[in-house]
Amino acid sequence: QQPVQSPQAVILREGEDAVINCSSSKALYSVHWYRQKHGEAPVFLMILLKGGEQKGHDKISASFNEKKQQSSLYLTASQLSYSGTYFCGTESPGSARQLTFGSGTQLTVLP
Amino acid sequence: DAGVIQSPRHEVTEMGQEVTLRCKPISGHDYLFWYRQTMMRGLELLIYFNNNVPIDDSGMPEDRFSAKMPNASFSTLKIQPSEPRDSAVYFCASSRGNSPLHFGNGTRLTVT
């Protein structure tokens, strides 16, 4: 079953922060985050493997609450280059390597 | 590293015709995935291979769809006969072990 992402879309001004949430009804082994720009392939951002794990890259970070089966992606001081559609992909125990993607969150950063 | 290479980039065909999409994974990657992306259904996993062996094809929508991986450097996704509802962007992705998926640039299929 597809994880649920929220919000579906968000519009920001450069320098503002955003949070994208991903929630699953199934137990999770890992959560993957990807960003896709229009007309391009999805590009990997980060994997979270452990409950409560947090990872960060530059001004983009994420958390994973294994008990709640939720993950959040945090974008701070957003830049124009952050625009795109963000997907979470979830992997469940017993379904190794089968990533199920959410419907995506369209992020637009305006100057 | 050339990345995952897919061909063709665009395919326009008439309903009933056979369509073959091709993928060359990154050298050394032992997993290969075929995804389909549409506005309505998002990114759907169709089938994936491990060491050239199909592991799970439960996402393949109908018997009209088939996929093969004859060797570690080549895979095909075939649709026969094609229908307008098959119109979508088809992505191939590869990975090594538990590493992240690397996606190709996709094939945009239009069936008229």
Side-chain angles (χ1 to χ4, degrees):
Chain A
Q1 193 166 0
Q2 199 176 34
V4 177
Q5 285 187 236
S6 63
Q8 290 187 330
V10 59
I11 299 176
L12 301 172
R13 291 285 180 186
E14 212 172 355
E16 293 181 339
D17 301 340
V19 180
I20 300 171
N21 299 304
C22 176
S23 178
S24 175
S25 60
K26 298 169 67 172
L28 298 178
Y29 169 74
S30 69
V31 179
H32 302 223
W33 285 95
Y34 287 78
R35 177 172 61 207
Q36 184 179 29
K37 294 186 180 284
H38 184 68
E40 299 181 7
V43 174
F44 170 75
L45 293 176
M46 63 187 76
I47 294 178
L48 300 108
L49 293 173
K50 299 179 182 178
E53 183 180 22
Q54 292 196 0
K55 297 187 78 170
H57 177 69
D58 196 12
K59 293 176 181 171
I60 299 176
S61 61
S63 64
F64 176 27
N65 187 319
E66 187 179 357
K67 287 184 179 180
K68 291 186 176 180
Q69 298 162 188
Q70 295 175 345
S71 178
S72 294
L73 186 71
Y74 307 93
L75 300 101
T76 58
S78 58
Q79 306 168 15
L80 296 176
S81 61
Y82 287 3
S83 293
T85 301
Y86 289 78
F87 294 95
C88 68
T90 58
E91 199 175 6
S92 295
S95 300
R97 306 307 298 151
Q98 291 188 48
L99 271 187
T100 303
F101 285 94
S103 56
T105 295
Q106 188 170 352
L107 181 78
T108 303
V109 181
L110 302 175
Chain B
D1 191 343
V4 176
I5 299 172
Q6 291 187 245
S7 64
R9 287 298 309 276
H10 302 274
E11 177 79 38
V12 180
T13 191
E14 292 183 347
M15 182 174 63
Q17 296 297 307
E18 176 182 303
V19 175
T20 300
L21 311 181
R22 297 172 175 80
C23 175
K24 177 180 169 56
I26 294 173
S27 177
H29 283 194
D30 55 350
Y31 283 89
L32 184 138
F33 305 82
W34 282 101
Y35 280 88
R36 178 173 68 176
Q37 186 175 38
T38 61
M39 288 294 293
M40 290 295 294
R41 302 173 70 92
L43 269 167
E44 301 174 275
L45 177 63
L46 300 178
I47 184 172
Y48 77 99
F49 297 82
N50 178 221
N51 292 322
N52 312 338
V53 176
I55 302 302
D56 191 323
D57 65 353
S58 59
M60 297 284 262
E62 299 172 32
D63 291 344
R64 297 184 295 106
F65 287 69
S66 63
K68 294 182 180 179
M69 192 166 185
N71 56 62
S73 59
F74 184 66
S75 177
T76 59
L77 178 68
K78 184 179 292 186
I79 308 172
Q80 180 185 22
S82 58
E83 297 183 2
R85 59 190 166 132
D86 301 332
S87 297
V89 179
Y90 290 81
F91 286 104
C92 174
S94 71
S95 71
R96 179 166 56 194
N98 290 326
S99 69
L101 270 60
H102 295 259
F103 285 84
N105 286 325
T107 294
R108 181 173 295 275
L109 174 65
T110 303
V111 183
T112 61

